[in-house]
C-alpha cells in the first residue's frame, strides 16, 4: 500500500525534514533534483521523460516515489522552465487529472462488486485519492507560480509579438490557466466521498483550494478573463455550499469586499452561482447575516468598505431577489445607521426587490398575503427615506422611485403619493436632490398610466361624465364601497393600491380609447352626454372613475409645480436649469397646464454664460419649434414672435440668428415665412404676416441678403392697408428696412426713395396709429430715416418742426415763436397732451439719433484718413513728399488736423442741444418752448407722461 499524500501548507513542506519525526505512512519527497544544473537540451529531455511516464503508466503512477520526486522537482522550478517545457509538463498533469475524474464513478461500481477483495479495492481507492490530491496540488501550484511570477507580463508581451507564428505546443498562459481552473472546478463535482471516505473532503484539501482561489480574486487582470472568473466562482460555490465550507468562505468574501472594489460584482456572481447550481442559498444568507451583525458605526470610518458592501447588496438583490427579500429583516439596523452609503445601498436593494421579487403572484393565498405585506413595508420605507437627513440618501431614494416607474412597478394607488413627494423635493436645499426629483417627475410623466394627454379640463369633463354613468348604473348612493368616488380596500383597488386583476385588464384595454384619444376639450365632451362609451359593469365603471380621479390628481400635482419650475430656471445651478427644461418639455408633450407658458420663460437663458445652459435651451428650442415640415416650422416661429414680449423678442432674435447660421432653420423655412408674409398661405392673418416678417428680420441679422428679394413686398405690405389692420406691422417693416444690406439700401433709395421717406414722415408726424403703438413705431421710423437718408438732418429738422406745429394746430413758426417769447399763457393752456407727448418724443429721439449720426460721421472720416495714410506709407513716395510729411510731423500739423476734427464734432453736438433762438438750430428752435413748458408747474402736475418725457430729454441733453 502506497503512503498517503497529505495536502501541505506549501510546496516546500513536501520535503522531509530530518528534525521532525518521520511519518512512515506519508508521502514525502525523498530525492529532489536541482533542475538548474541541467543544460537546456538536458532539461527538455528530462521533462519529456517525465511526461512519457505520466502518459504511459497508470494514472496513479504519480504516487510512485521516483515519478513523484521528479514531478516535484519540475514544479518547484517551474518558473525557470522554457515555454515548451512548461506546456509539456502542465498538459501532462492536466490530461491525467481529466482522465482520472470519470474513473471515480467506475471505482464505485468496482467497490460494490468486488466485496471478496476488500484489500485490493481499498488500495485502489487510496491510490486514486493520492493521485487526485497530487495532480490538484501540483496544478494549483503551477497556476499560483505563473500568476505571482513578475515576468508574466513580459511573457505576455513575447506571446503578443509572436502571435502570428505561434507553434502548437507554445506556452500561452492565458488559455492554459482557464483550462486548469475549470478542471479543478469540475473535480469538485464528482463523488469525492469515495476518495475521502466521508461526505466532506479532507479539511486541508478544501482549505488549500479555497485559500488560493480567494487569493486569485485579488488580481484584477486575472478576473478580466471570463473563463477564469467563471471557474473561480464555480470553485467557491462548490466549496461553500456542497462541501459546507460556508463560514470560512463568508469570512474571505467579506475581507475581499472591504479591501477591493473590483471584486464586488464577481463575488455576487459567485454567490448567485452557488444558489443556482445547488439550489442552496446558505452562502448568501450567511453573508447577509454577517453584514447585519456588523456595527453600523464601523462603516462611518470605513467608507470604502461601506460603499463596496452596499454595492454587493444591490448586486445580490438583482441576482437573488427572492432570497434577499426573505432575509432583508437582518439588515434593518443599518437603515438608521450613520453611514449614508450603507443606507443608499439598502435603498437600492429595496428598489430591486420591489421591482423583481414581487412580480410572481402565484402561490397560496396566505403566502401571497405575506408577500404583499412585505412589499408594502418596503414601499413605506422608501417613502419615509425621502425625508432622510442625508441629501445623498434623499437623492438615492428618488432615483430608485424613478427606476420603479420605468419598470412599471408603482401602482396607481401609490402614484400620486410618489408624485407629491417628488414635487416637494423640487424645493430641497440640495442640488443633487432637486436633480433627482426633476428626473423622477420626467420618468413619471413618460410612464404614467393615465394616457398621453393630461389636461385638467379634459380629465374633469370625462370624470364628470363617468360619474353620471356610474350613478345611472347604481342609483343607490354608494356608501360602503366608495367614498367620494375613491374605492375602498375591499373593492377594485386592493390594500397596496393595485387594481384587481379581474378588472385591470379590461380597464387597461379601454384606456387608450377613453382616456387618451377621446379626451377632447370640455365643451366637446359636454356636447356628447349621451355617447359616453360603456366600459362594462358597475365594478369596472367604478374602477375607471377611480383611475380618472387619480389621473386628475396627478395632472393637478404636476401643473402646481410650474411656479417652482420657473424659480428653478433662474437657479445658479446649471443642472437645475437643464433638468427643469427637460421636465417642461415633457410636460408640454403631455399638455400639462401652464407648461407652454413656462417654456417661453426659458428664452432669455440663451444669454447665459454657461455653455451647458445655452445648449440646453437651444436643443429644447429646436425640439419644440423646428419641424421637418418647413411650413410647420415657419408657423411655430411666427406664432412665437407674436406671443413674445420685449424681453423674449431679444432672446428669440439671438437664437434665431444662431440657428440660421448653423442651418437648423433652412432656406426653405425662410421661404415659407415669406409666403406667410405675402399672404400666399390660405387663412393667413395680418398678425401672422407681422410675425413672419419679425422672424425674417431676426434671421436677417445673420444673413442680410434674405431681405433683398422682397424689397417691394416689404414696402407694399408693411406700410400698406394691412398696416391699418395690424398697426405693429409698420414698426416691423421699419426694422426690416434698417437691416437691409448696403447694396439693398442704395437700391431702395434710388427706386423708391421719395415714397419711402414720405411714408416714414407720415408715420412719425401723422395720427394714423394708436398711442400705444405709435411710440414704438415712431422710434424705429426715426432710426430708419437716419440709416437710409443721405442727409438725415434735413428731414429730421422738418419732422421736429412739423411735430411742434401740430401741437398748436398748425400755427406758423414765426407767430408761434412770438407767442412763446411773449409768455402767452393761452398758448400753453390750449395744448393737447397727446400731441405734446408725441412732439417731445420726436424731439428727444431725433436729438439722440443726430448725436449718434455725428459720431458715425467722425468715425468714418477718421477711418478714411487712416486708410489714406496707410496707402501713402505702402505706396511709392518721392523724396519731396516724404520731406514735407516729416516737416509737418515735426511742426505738429498732423495732430492739429485731428484736433480740428474733434472741435467740429463738439461744435456740431452743441448746436443740436444748445442752440439759441437766433441761431435757428435743430433743437435750438424748440428751446424757448421747452423752457416755458418746464416752468409751467400747473401743467406738469396734471400731465405725468409729459414729465417723464421731459426727464428723458434732460437726461439726453
Amino acid at each position: 500500500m502506497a503512503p498517503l499524500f497529505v495536502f501541505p501548507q506549501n510546496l516546500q513542506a513536501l520535503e522531509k525534514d530530518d528534525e521532525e519525526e518521520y511519518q512512515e505512512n506519508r508521502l514525502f519527497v525523498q530525492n529532489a533534483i536541482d533542475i538548474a544544473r541541467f543544460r537546456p537540451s538536458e532539461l527538455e529531455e528530462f521533462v519529456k521523460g517525465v511526461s512519457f511516464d505520466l502518459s504511459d503508466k497508470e494514472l496513479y503512477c504519480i504516487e510512485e516515489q521516483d515519478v513523484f520526486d521528479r514531478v516535484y522537482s519540475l514544479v518547484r522550478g517551474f518558473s525557470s522552465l522554457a515555454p515548451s517545457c512548461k506546456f509539456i509538463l502542465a498538459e501532462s498533469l492536466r490530461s491525467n487529472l481529466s482522465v482520472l475524474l470519470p474513473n471515480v464513478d467506475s471505482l464505485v461500481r468496482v467497490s460494490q462488486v468486488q466485496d471478496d477483495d476488500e484489500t485490493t479495492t481499498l488500495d485502489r481507492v487510496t491510490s486514486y485519492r493520492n493521485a487526485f490530491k497530487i495532480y490538484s496540488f501540483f496544478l494549483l501550484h503551477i497556476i499560483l507560480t505563473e500568476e505571482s511570477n513578475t515576468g508574466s507580463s513580459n511573457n505576455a508581451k513575447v506571446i503578443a509579438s509572436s502571435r502570428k507564428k505561434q507553434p502548437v505546443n507554445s506556452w500561452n498562459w492565458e488559455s492554459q490557466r482557464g483550462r486548469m481552473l475549470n478542471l479543478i472546478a469540475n473535480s469538485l463535482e464528482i463523488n469525492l466521498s469515495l476518495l475521502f471516505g466521508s461526505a466532506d473532503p479532507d479539511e486541508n484539501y478544501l482549505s488549500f483550494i479555497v485559500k488560493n482561489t480567494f487569493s486569485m480574486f485579488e488580481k484584477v487582470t486575472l478576473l478580466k478573463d471570463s473563463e477564469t472568473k467563471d471557474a473561480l466562482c464555480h470553485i467557491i460555490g462548490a466549496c461553500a455550499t456542497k462541501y459546507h465550507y460556508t463560514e470560512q468562505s463568508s469570512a474571505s468574501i467579506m475581507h475581499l469586499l472591504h479591501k477591493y472594489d473590483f471584486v464586488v460584482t464577481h463575488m455576487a456572481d459567485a454567490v448567485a452561482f452557488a444558489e443556482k447550481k445547488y439550489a442552496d442559498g446558505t452562502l448568501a444568507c450567511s453573508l447577509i447575516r454577517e453584514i447585519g451583525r456588523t456595527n453600523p458605526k464601523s462603516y462611518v470610518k470605513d467608507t470604502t468598505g461601506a460603499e463596496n458592501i452596499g454595492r454587493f447588496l444591490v448586486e445580490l438583490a438583482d441576482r437573488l431577489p427572492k432570497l434577499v427579500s426573505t432575509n432583508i429583516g437582518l439588515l434593518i439596523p443599518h437603515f438608521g445607521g450613520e453611514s449614508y452609503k450603507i443606507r443608499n445601498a439598502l435603498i437600492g436593494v429595496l428598489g430591486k426587490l420591489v421591482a423583481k421579487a414581487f412580480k410572481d403572484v402565484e402561490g397560496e393565498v396566505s403566502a401571497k398575503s405575506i408577500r404583499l405585506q412585505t412589499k408594502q413595508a418596503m414601499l413605506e420605507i422608501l417613502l419615509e427615506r425621502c425625508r432622510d437627513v442625508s441629501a445623498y440618501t434623499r437623492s438615492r431614494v428618488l432615483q430608485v422611485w424613478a427606476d420603479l416607474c420605468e419598470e412599471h412597478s408603482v401602482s396607481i394607488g401609490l402614484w400620486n403619493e410618489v408624485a407629491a413627494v417628488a414635487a416637494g423635493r423640487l424645493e430641497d436645499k440640495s442640488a443633487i436632490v432637486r436633480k433627482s426629483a426633476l428626473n423622477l417627475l420626467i420618468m413619471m410623466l413618460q410612464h404614467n398610466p393615465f394616457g398621453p394627454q393630461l389636461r385638467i379640463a379634459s380629465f374633469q369633463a370625462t370624470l364628470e361624465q363617468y360619474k353620471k354613468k356610474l350613478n345611472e348604473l347604481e342609483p343607490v348612493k354608494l356608501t360602503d364601497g366608495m367614498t367620494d368616488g375613491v374605492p375602498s380596500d375591499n373593492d377594485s383597488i386592493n390594500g397596496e393600491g393595485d387594481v384587481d386583476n379581474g378588472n385591470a385588464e379590461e380597464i387597461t384595454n379601454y384606456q387608450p380609447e377613453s382616456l387618451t384619444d377621446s379626451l377632447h376639450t370640455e365643451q366637446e365632451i359636454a356636447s356628447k352626454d349621451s355617447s359616453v362609451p360603456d366600459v362594462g359593469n358597475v365594478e369596472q365603471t367604478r374602477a375607471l372613475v377611480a383611475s380618472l380621479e387619480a389621473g386628475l390628481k396627478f395632472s393637478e400635482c404636476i401643473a402646481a409645480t410650474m411656479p417652482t419650475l420657473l424659480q428653478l430656471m433662474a437657479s445658479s445651478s446649471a443642472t437645475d436649469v437643464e433638468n427643469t427644461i427637460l421636465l417642461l418639455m415633457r410636460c408640454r408633450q403631455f399638455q400639462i397646464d401652464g407648461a407652454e407658458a413656462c417654456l417661453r420663460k426659458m428664452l432669455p437663458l440663451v444669454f447665459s454664460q454657461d455653455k451647458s445652459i445655452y445648449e440646453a435651451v437651444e436643443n429644447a428650442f429646436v425640439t419644440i419649434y423646428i419641424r421637418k415640415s418647413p411650413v410647420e416650422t415657419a408657423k411655430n416661429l411666427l406664432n412665437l414672435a407674436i406671443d413674445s414680449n420685449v424681453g423674449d423678442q431679444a432672446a428669440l432674435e439671438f437664437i434665431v440668428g444662431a440657428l440660421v447660421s448653423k442651418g437648423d432653420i433652412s432656406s426653405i423655412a425662410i421661404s415659407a415665412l415669406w409666403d406667410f408674409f405675402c399672404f400666399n398661405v390660405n387663412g393667413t392673418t395680418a398678425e401672422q404676416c407681422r410675425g413672419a416678417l419679425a422672424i425674417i428680420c431676426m434671421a436677417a441679422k445673420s444673413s442680410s441678403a434674405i431681405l433683398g428679394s422682397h424689397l417691394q413686398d416689404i414696402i407694399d405690405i408693411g406700410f400698406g392697408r394691412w398696416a391699418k389692420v395690424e398697426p405693429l406691422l409698420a414698426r416691423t417693416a421699419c426694422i426690416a428696412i434698417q437691416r437691409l444690406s448696403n447694396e439693398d439700401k442704395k437700391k431702395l433709395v434710388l427706386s423708391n426713395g421719395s415714397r419711402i421717406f414720405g411714408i416714414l414722415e407720415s408715420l412719425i408726424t401723422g395720427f394714423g396709429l394708436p398711442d400705444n403703438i405709435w411710440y414704438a413705431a415712431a422710434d424705429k421710423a426715426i432710426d430708419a430715416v437716419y440709416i437710409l437718408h443721405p442727409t438725415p438732418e434735413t428731414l429730421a429738422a422738418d419732422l421736429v418742426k412739423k411735430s411742434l406745429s401740430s401741437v398748436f394746430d398748425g400755427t406758423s413758426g414765426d407767430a408761434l415763436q412770438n407767442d412763446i417769447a411773449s409768455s402767452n399763457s393761452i398758448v400753453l393752456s390750449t395744448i393737447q397732451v397727446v400731441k405734446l407727448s408725441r412732439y417731445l418724443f420726436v424731439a428727444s429721439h431725433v436729438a439722440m439719433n443726430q448725436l449718434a449720426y455725428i459720431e458715425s460721421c467722425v468715425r468714418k472720416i477718421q477711418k478714411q484718413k487712416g486708410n489714406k495714410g496707410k496707402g501713402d506709407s505702402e505706396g511709392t513716395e518721392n523724396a519731396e513728399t516724404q520731406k514735407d510729411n516729416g516737416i509737418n510731423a515735426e511742426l505738429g500739423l498732423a495732430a492739429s488736423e485731428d484736433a480740428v476734427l474733434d472741435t467740429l464734432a463738439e461744435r456740431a453736438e452743441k448746436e443740436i442741444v444748445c442752440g439759441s433762438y437766433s441761431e435757428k438750430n435743430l433743437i435750438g428752435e424748440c428751446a424757448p418752448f421747452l423752457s416755458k413748458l418746464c416752468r409751467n408747474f400747473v401743467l406738469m402736475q396734471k400731465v405725468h407722461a409729459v414729465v417723464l418725457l421731459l426727464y428723458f430729454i434732460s437726461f439726453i441733453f
Side-chain angles (χ1 to χ4, degrees):
M1 180 177 179
L4 295 176
F5 178 81
V6 180
F7 254 83
Q9 295 296 324
N10 50 58
L11 185 67
Q12 286 70 26
L14 289 176
E15 297 184 21
K16 183 173 65 174
D17 192 348
D18 295 335
E19 296 180 0
E20 296 181 358
E21 183 180 356
Y22 180 65
Q23 298 181 11
E24 293 291 340
N25 197 32
R26 182 175 175 184
L27 184 59
F28 283 99
V29 176
Q30 296 184 4
N31 184 23
I33 302 172
D34 184 12
I35 63 173
R37 63 184 176 85
F38 290 132
R39 293 194 299 270
S41 59
E42 294 175 343
L43 181 58
E44 185 175 358
E45 288 299 324
F46 182 76
V47 172
K48 288 181 179 180
V50 172
S51 175
F52 178 79
D53 289 341
L54 290 175
S55 60
D56 187 59
K57 296 182 179 181
E58 293 287 344
L59 292 173
Y60 42 82
C61 69
I62 191 71
E63 67 176 352
E64 295 179 7
Q65 191 66 54
D66 177 60
V67 178
F68 181 77
D69 290 346
R70 286 186 291 158
V71 172
Y72 167 82
S73 301
L74 291 174
V75 171
R76 184 181 63 177
F78 190 80
S79 59
S80 63
L81 295 178
S84 59
C85 293
K86 287 182 178 181
F87 176 82
I88 293 172
L89 178 62
E91 186 63 20
S92 297
L93 295 173
R94 189 198 65 79
S95 61
N96 276 20
L97 180 58
S98 63
V99 175
L100 175 66
L101 296 183
N103 287 328
V104 173
D105 292 332
S106 63
L107 185 63
V108 175
R109 292 191 293 270
V110 170
S111 63
Q112 292 174 348
V113 173
Q114 297 180 352
D115 294 334
D116 56 339
D117 193 0
E118 295 182 1
T119 303
T120 303
T121 302
L122 182 61
D123 290 344
R124 294 189 67 183
V125 170
T126 303
S127 297
Y128 270 99
R129 183 187 305 163
N130 282 342
F132 176 83
K133 290 181 180 180
I134 295 170
Y135 285 130
S136 300
F137 176 78
F138 283 153
L139 283 175
L140 279 171
H141 195 274
I142 288 174
I143 295 171
L144 294 172
T145 300
E146 285 298 282
E147 287 302 323
S148 61
N149 189 358
T150 55
S152 61
S153 60
N154 294 331
N155 291 338
K157 292 179 181 178
V158 172
I159 293 171
S161 62
S162 59
R163 190 179 300 274
K164 293 183 179 179
K165 298 182 179 180
Q166 207 175 77
V168 176
N169 293 336
S170 65
W171 180 245
N172 186 349
W173 171 235
E174 295 295 327
S175 61
Q176 294 294 331
R177 178 183 58 204
R179 296 174 67 194
M180 292 180 184
L181 286 173
N182 267 321
L183 184 60
I184 299 298
N186 292 332
S187 70
L188 297 174
E189 298 300 327
I190 65 174
N191 190 358
L192 294 180
S193 60
L194 291 175
L195 295 178
F196 291 94
S198 62
D200 294 333
D202 184 8
E203 181 70 20
N204 291 335
Y205 168 73
L206 284 180
S207 176
F208 183 83
I209 289 181
V210 171
K211 179 183 70 174
N212 290 293
T213 299
F214 278 113
S215 69
M216 289 184 228
F217 268 105
E218 298 180 4
K219 297 177 175 59
V220 62
T221 54
L222 185 147
L223 296 174
K224 291 180 180 179
D225 179 26
S226 60
E227 186 180 11
T228 299
K229 192 208 79 171
D230 292 343
L232 294 175
C233 292
H234 189 170
I235 294 172
I236 291 178
C239 292
T241 305
K242 183 178 179 180
Y243 299 109
H244 313 295
Y245 211 73
T246 306
E247 293 185 5
Q248 298 89 333
S249 298
S250 297
S252 298
I253 291 174
M254 291 295 293
H255 171 75
L256 290 175
L257 290 175
H258 279 275
K259 193 173 181 181
Y260 304 104
D261 58 350
F262 60 83
V263 303
V264 172
T265 56
H266 305 304
M267 288 294 100
D269 289 336
V271 176
F273 174 85
E275 195 277 339
K276 182 179 180 180
K277 177 71 175 178
Y278 304 104
D280 188 345
T282 304
L283 181 58
C285 294
S286 175
L287 288 168
I288 295 174
R289 188 179 301 108
E290 189 67 26
I291 295 172
R293 288 174 181 172
T294 306
N295 190 340
K297 293 183 179 180
S298 64
Y299 288 116
V300 176
K301 294 182 180 179
D302 184 15
T303 56
T304 302
E307 185 173 356
N308 292 346
I309 292 294
R311 288 173 51 213
F312 173 74
L313 288 173
V314 174
E315 296 286 344
L316 200 61
D318 188 43
R319 291 162 173 77
L320 304 173
K322 293 184 179 179
L323 188 146
V324 175
S325 65
T326 306
N327 296 273
I328 192 67
L330 300 173
L331 303 174
I332 292 297
H334 292 285
F335 279 102
E338 298 179 14
S339 174
Y340 74 86
K341 291 187 176 181
I342 290 293
R343 289 203 306 273
N344 287 7
L346 293 176
I347 294 301
V349 168
L350 292 183
K352 294 288 185 182
L353 297 181
V354 171
K356 292 190 174 184
F358 301 99
K359 288 186 176 180
D360 184 13
V361 296
E362 297 180 358
E364 297 180 358
V365 176
S366 58
K368 181 180 178 181
S369 176
I370 295 174
R371 288 164 60 82
L372 291 178
Q373 291 176 4
T374 306
K375 179 181 179 181
Q376 187 64 29
M378 292 181 180
L379 293 173
E380 290 176 359
I381 293 175
L382 288 176
L383 287 173
E384 177 188 357
R385 286 298 135 189
C386 289
R387 301 171 181 85
D388 193 277
V389 66
S390 170
Y392 295 104
T393 301
R394 297 197 300 273
S395 174
R396 179 60 181 146
V397 174
L398 295 174
Q399 292 172 15
V400 168
W401 279 117
D403 294 338
L404 292 176
C405 291
E406 187 175 11
E407 297 181 13
H408 305 284
S409 298
V410 180
S411 61
I412 294 180
L414 198 61
W415 194 269
N416 284 306
E417 189 171 357
V418 176
V421 169
R425 289 298 98 191
L426 292 177
E427 301 183 63
D428 197 284
K429 61 182 180 181
S430 173
I432 59 173
V433 180
R434 296 195 298 269
K435 178 181 177 181
S436 298
L438 289 165
N439 289 332
L440 173 55
L441 289 175
I442 291 172
M443 198 62 64
M444 294 191 77
L445 281 169
Q446 183 175 347
H447 298 281
N448 84 86
F450 310 113
Q453 296 181 5
L454 299 177
R455 290 175 295 176
I456 292 177
S458 297
F459 269 109
Q460 289 174 337
T462 308
L463 177 60
E464 186 65 26
Q465 299 304 314
Y466 278 101
K467 280 186 176 180
K468 293 179 180 179
K469 184 74 172 180
L470 182 61
N471 291 334
E472 293 174 2
L473 294 174
E474 190 178 47
V476 180
K477 192 67 176 179
L478 297 175
T479 56
D480 297 332
M482 177 179 288
T483 303
D484 295 332
V486 180
S488 67
D489 291 345
N490 297 325
D491 290 321
S492 60
I493 295 183
N494 58 35
E496 62 157 351
D498 291 326
V499 180
D500 283 348
N501 294 335
N503 297 338
E505 184 177 355
E506 295 182 18
I507 294 174
T508 302
N509 293 335
Y510 173 72
Q511 279 181 356
E513 179 180 349
S514 64
L515 299 181
T516 60
D517 298 337
S518 296
L519 284 180
H520 303 299
T521 62
E522 186 174 0
Q523 293 79 5
E524 291 174 333
I525 295 178
S527 64
K528 299 180 179 179
D529 293 339
S530 60
S531 61
V532 177
D534 190 1
V535 296
N537 56 29
V538 175
E539 295 298 328
Q540 292 170 332
T541 306
R542 184 186 303 171
L544 178 58
V545 168
S547 298
L548 286 169
E549 287 183 332
L552 174 60
K553 188 175 180 181
F554 178 66
S555 299
E556 291 174 341
C557 176
I558 302 298
T561 64
M562 293 302 147
T564 305
L565 296 180
L566 283 177
Q567 295 177 2
L568 288 177
M569 277 204 294
S571 172
S572 58
S573 171
T575 56
D576 281 348
V577 179
E578 293 173 36
N579 288 281
T580 299
I581 291 173
L582 292 176
L583 175 56
L584 286 173
M585 290 176 63
R586 190 68 68 183
C587 290
R588 180 183 180 274
Q589 176 186 345
F590 286 89
Q591 302 181 18
I592 296 294
D593 294 16
E596 187 76 31
C598 283
L599 273 174
R600 297 285 178 86
K601 302 298 181 181
M602 78 173 180
L603 288 178
L605 294 175
V606 297
F607 299 116
S608 173
Q609 299 299 317
D610 193 315
K611 184 180 179 181
S612 61
I613 293 178
Y614 168 77
E615 290 178 348
V617 175
E618 185 180 87
N619 293 335
F621 188 91
V622 172
T623 302
I624 296 171
Y625 300 111
I626 307 301
R627 295 285 183 263
K628 292 183 178 180
S629 169
V631 176
E632 290 184 11
T633 299
K635 195 168 185 178
N636 288 339
L637 293 176
L638 66 87
N639 288 334
L640 193 59
I642 291 171
D643 298 334
S644 299
N645 56 32
V646 176
D648 292 342
Q649 288 279 351
L652 181 61
E653 182 174 290
F654 182 86
I655 195 169
V656 166
L659 294 178
V660 169
S661 300
K662 292 181 179 180
D664 291 334
I665 298 178
S666 63
S667 58
I668 303 177
I670 299 297
S671 298
L673 287 168
W674 280 119
D675 289 338
F676 277 103
F677 173 70
C678 298
F679 295 92
N680 293 332
V681 179
N682 292 333
T684 302
T685 63
E687 192 178 40
Q688 289 177 323
C689 169
R690 188 256 301 175
L693 184 59
I695 297 296
I696 293 171
C697 292
M698 296 174 186
K701 262 203 164 182
S702 298
S703 177
S704 58
I706 291 175
L707 296 167
S709 59
H710 290 76
L711 282 178
Q712 196 62 44
D713 292 329
I714 293 174
I715 298 173
D716 294 341
I717 299 175
F719 299 107
R721 63 183 183 86
W722 291 107
K724 298 179 181 179
V725 179
E726 175 58 33
L728 282 175
L729 182 57
R731 178 183 181 273
T732 309
C734 291
I735 297 175
I737 291 173
Q738 296 176 47
R739 295 187 180 174
L740 293 173
S741 64
N742 292 331
E743 295 181 359
D744 290 332
K745 289 175 184 176
K746 294 177 182 178
K747 186 188 301 183
L748 180 63
V749 172
L750 291 175
S751 60
N752 291 285
S754 59
R755 181 187 176 192
I756 191 64
F757 293 127
I759 291 173
L760 293 176
E761 181 179 354
S762 175
L763 191 151
I764 296 170
T765 60
F767 292 88
L769 296 177
D771 290 339
N772 62 333
I773 294 176
W774 178 86
Y775 291 96
D779 178 21
K780 298 302 179 183
I782 293 172
D783 293 343
V785 168
Y786 274 88
I787 287 176
L788 288 179
H789 204 284
T791 56
E793 65 276 7
T794 57
L795 180 57
D798 292 338
L799 293 175
V800 173
K801 292 177 181 178
K802 289 182 179 180
S803 182
L804 178 60
S805 177
S806 67
V807 175
F808 301 96
D809 296 328
T811 304
S812 63
D814 294 336
L816 180 59
Q817 295 294 348
N818 292 332
D819 290 338
I820 293 173
S822 62
S823 301
N824 189 347
S825 60
I826 300 177
V827 173
L828 296 180
S829 63
T830 58
I831 290 177
Q832 295 183 19
V833 175
V834 174
K835 294 181 179 180
L836 177 60
S837 299
R838 291 193 177 192
Y839 160 68
L840 295 175
F841 184 89
V842 172
S844 61
H845 279 71
V846 166
M848 186 168 58
N849 277 275
Q850 186 67 22
L851 289 173
Y853 174 70
I854 292 172
E855 291 176 358
S856 67
C857 291
V858 171
R859 286 195 299 270
K860 187 182 297 184
I861 294 173
Q862 291 174 340
K863 183 178 180 181
Q864 292 174 351
K865 184 175 178 294
N867 292 337
K868 181 180 179 181
K870 184 178 180 181
D872 292 341
S873 63
E874 294 176 354
T876 56
E877 295 179 323
N878 54 36
E880 189 68 25
T881 304
Q882 292 180 357
K883 181 179 179 180
D884 292 342
N885 290 338
I887 294 174
N888 290 337
E890 291 178 1
L891 296 175
L893 295 179
S896 64
E897 292 180 3
D898 294 334
V900 170
L901 185 61
D902 293 339
T903 302
L904 291 175
E906 183 178 356
R907 180 180 177 184
E909 293 175 2
K910 289 182 178 179
E911 287 178 352
I912 295 173
V913 297
C914 301
S916 63
Y917 172 74
S918 60
E919 292 177 349
K920 302 291 184 182
N921 295 319
L922 179 62
I923 305 300
E925 292 189 357
C926 308
F929 170 70
L930 294 175
S931 176
K932 294 288 184 179
L933 185 62
C934 292
R935 286 197 289 266
N936 192 322
F937 297 106
V938 177
L939 182 62
M940 293 298 99
Q941 292 175 356
K942 291 181 179 179
V943 187
H944 299 290
V946 175
V947 174
L948 291 175
L949 285 170
L950 286 173
Y951 175 78
F952 176 65
I953 293 175
S954 65
F955 176 76
I956 297 175
F957 292 172

